[in-house]
Amino acid sequence: MAVVGAGPIGLELASAFKLGGVKYLHFDAGQIGHTVSWMPRQMRFFSSPDRISICGVPLQTVEQEKASREEYLAYLRSIVEQFDLTVHTHEKIMSIQKSGSKFLLTSEKATGQHQYVADYVVLATGDLNRARELNLPGEDLPHVSHYFDEPHRYFRKRLLIVGGRNSAVEAAIRCQRAGADVAVSYRGDEFDTQSVKYWLAPEIEMLIKTERVTYYPLTIPTVITPQHVSLRQVQTGQCTQVPADFVLLLVGYEMDTTLMEQVGVALAGENQAPQLDLQTMQTNVPGFYVGGTAAAGTQIRFQLFIENCHPHVGKIFESITGRQCPFDATDKTHSGRYALPES
Ligand SMILES: Cc1cc2nc3c(=O)[nH]c(=O)nc-3n(C[C@H](O)[C@H](O)[C@H](O)COP(=O)(O)OP(=O)(O)OC[C@H]3O[C@@H](n4cnc5c(N)ncnc54)[C@H](O)[C@@H]3O)c2cc1C
């Protein structure tokens, strides 16, 4: 058995196998919790701690608030220690081939390529594998990034942020507070309030209204130079040149479907979501499972996140072992805010 991906759900699944006495191999291309590790420093999850806790282990936070990125990474490390999980970190699975009833996995790490054979494979590789690119001239310039790390870099600098969902809004507020001269370009008229944390929406509105953040609604960037960004108004076609020392293109992330395609998993719809039996999370390829947010494909509207992926763990464990998951892996989603996928 091979589990690929050691984010929260991959770790929750590995803990179930470990507790259940099932032999498995576990890989991550980066360190455990790699996706959480590239989130902005001191970012707070929108979920309350109990909803993103895994394996029945309570997640306590220092200030009884929602967990920060740092608290959650520490929690994930504790999970690995608590259950003494062996994870082959910094070892990326480059290819998976089906060979009869078995799978042949080829990995790459610092010491070179390695091969493994498994009866079952579970992909828990997440849906945020690479930044969505706009394919603009200048997108690869050194002052341009698709990731917001921390605000200090932008102190007393002109920062243009492109995007209108939570990442862009949160970066705009934090950088403005940290003394940056912030402008935001968004292709829509108003921010996507469905995705923006509810406590941030009034603040960004106030910052724009009081002209402490400059807002360019209904615009798309067309060219980035070392000095400025050209923004085109989508209705009039008129172009504005906005001076910028730094540019953050926070327009979302995409899932890498390579491994699924290699073994012949059927992908469907705009999201390129793997076709699954939702009772077991097994794909159309026997023995090949997908759990966690990877089960949703590239999410245009977020449907799967940590909160409601816990049941995947129980379903996969039960399908592969024929036994009940050693801990309670149930849906911890609160009602109302997000639509759940039909099962
Ligand atoms: C800013 C931000 C805030 C969020 N806040 C919340 C929240 O409050 N509540 C919530 O429920 N969700 C939230 N999410 C969503 C959720 O946190 C993440 O999507 C979550 O990390 C998904 O968990 P996962 O285990 O499915 O996948 P991931 O955490 O993405 O883990 C996938 C792992 O697979 C590894 N991997 C990928 N490809 C390979 C390969 N080929 N070989 C080996 N390893 C590979 C990656 O390195 C990674 O470690 C947030 C997301 C973002 C970006």
Side-chain angles (χ1 to χ4, degrees):
M1 157 110 55
V3 179
V4 186
I9 302 303
L11 290 173
E12 191 164 33
L13 189 64
S15 309
F17 288 140
K18 183 79 193 263
L19 287 173
V22 180
K23 277 193 175 167
Y24 69 94
L25 288 166
H26 195 183
F27 303 92
D28 200 290
Q31 185 48 273
I32 63 142
H34 175 69
T35 301
V36 178
S37 75
W38 60 249
M39 292 176 185
R41 289 187 218 173
Q42 280 105 37
M43 179 220 72
R44 284 198 187 277
F45 284 83
F46 61 75
S47 303
S48 45
D50 56 320
R51 294 187 173 115
I52 54 173
S53 66
I54 57 176
C55 328
V57 177
L59 164 57
Q60 286 277 351
T61 61
V62 176
E63 293 167 336
Q64 299 77 52
E65 293 283 350
K66 299 188 180 207
S68 66
R69 162 195 176 275
E70 287 72 16
E71 285 170 323
Y72 199 58
L73 285 173
Y75 172 74
L76 295 181
R77 293 195 299 272
S78 302
I79 293 288
V80 171
E81 299 211 307
Q82 168 73 25
F83 296 106
D84 192 21
L85 305 178
T86 302
V87 187
H88 293 235
T89 53
H90 303 285
E91 183 166 355
K92 181 172 181 173
I93 299 299
M94 305 299 290
S95 81
I96 306 179
Q97 306 296 333
K98 185 116 171 99
S99 170
S101 63
K102 305 225 182 263
F103 295 93
L104 184 64
L105 291 85
T106 305
S107 74
E108 198 166 271
K109 59 177 178 176
T111 51
Q113 290 206 336
H114 297 261
Q115 292 205 320
Y116 304 90
V117 178
D119 295 323
Y120 299 96
V121 173
V122 185
L123 279 199
T125 42
D127 65 320
L128 306 170
N129 304 127
R130 56 176 175 245
R132 186 172 287 138
E133 298 203 344
L134 294 174
N135 299 316
L136 296 178
E139 191 164 356
D140 54 355
L141 286 168
H143 69 303
V144 181
S145 176
H146 294 85
Y147 295 89
F148 170 52
D149 176 9
E150 51 92 27
H152 179 69
R153 178 176 312 158
Y154 309 114
F155 173 64
R156 294 213 157 186
K157 292 291 171 191
R158 294 165 304 184
L159 170 65
L160 177 73
I161 298 171
V162 177
R165 305 186 75 186
N166 190 74
S167 303
V169 167
E170 191 156 353
I173 292 172
R174 290 185 61 186
C175 292
Q176 193 279 336
R177 281 185 195 153
D181 177 2
V182 179
V184 180
S185 157
Y186 181 43
R187 65 183 175 171
D189 189 6
E190 291 179 359
F191 293 118
D192 181 355
T193 47
Q194 277 284 314
S195 85
V196 175
K197 289 169 182 161
Y198 63 85
W199 62 92
L200 297 179
E203 181 149 11
I204 191 71
E205 275 170 31
M206 181 272 295
L207 288 174
I208 291 169
K209 207 166 152 187
T210 54
E211 297 179 353
R212 282 181 280 171
V213 165
T214 311
Y215 185 39
Y216 296 94
L218 297 167
T219 58
I220 50 171
T222 52
V223 180
I224 304 174
T225 74
Q227 292 81 31
H228 69 263
V229 180
S230 293
L231 297 180
R232 183 164 57 78
Q233 222 281 350
V234 293
Q235 289 167 328
T236 63
Q238 199 181 345
C239 279
T240 310
Q241 294 210 331
V242 178
D245 303 306
F246 290 98
V247 181
L248 284 173
L249 301 174
L250 303 180
V251 293
Y253 303 91
E254 294 172 338
M255 187 172 81
D256 183 350
T257 54
T258 310
L259 297 177
M260 295 186 199
E261 285 172 47
Q262 284 169 350
V263 288
V265 173
L267 303 171
E270 200 181 1
N271 288 12
Q272 288 289 280
Q275 295 305 282
L276 300 161
D277 173 355
L278 289 173
Q279 301 307 316
T280 61
M281 308 306 284
Q282 187 168 206
T283 64
N284 58 298
V285 179
F288 196 88
Y289 293 74
V290 180
T293 50
T298 294
Q299 302 196 65
I300 314 295
R301 281 257 153 261
F302 283 98
Q303 287 195 308
L304 285 182
F305 30 100
I306 305 168
E307 282 194 24
N308 60 357
C309 285
H310 305 290
H312 300 178
V313 172
K315 290 176 182 182
I316 294 169
F317 184 89
E318 283 166 38
S319 173
I320 292 176
T321 66
R323 290 184 273 132
Q324 215 178 350
C325 183
F327 48 79
D328 178 21
T330 45
D331 190 339
K332 296 172 184 165
T333 317
H334 48 131
S335 59
R337 192 161 170 211
Y338 290 91
L340 292 176
E342 284 174 20
S343 58

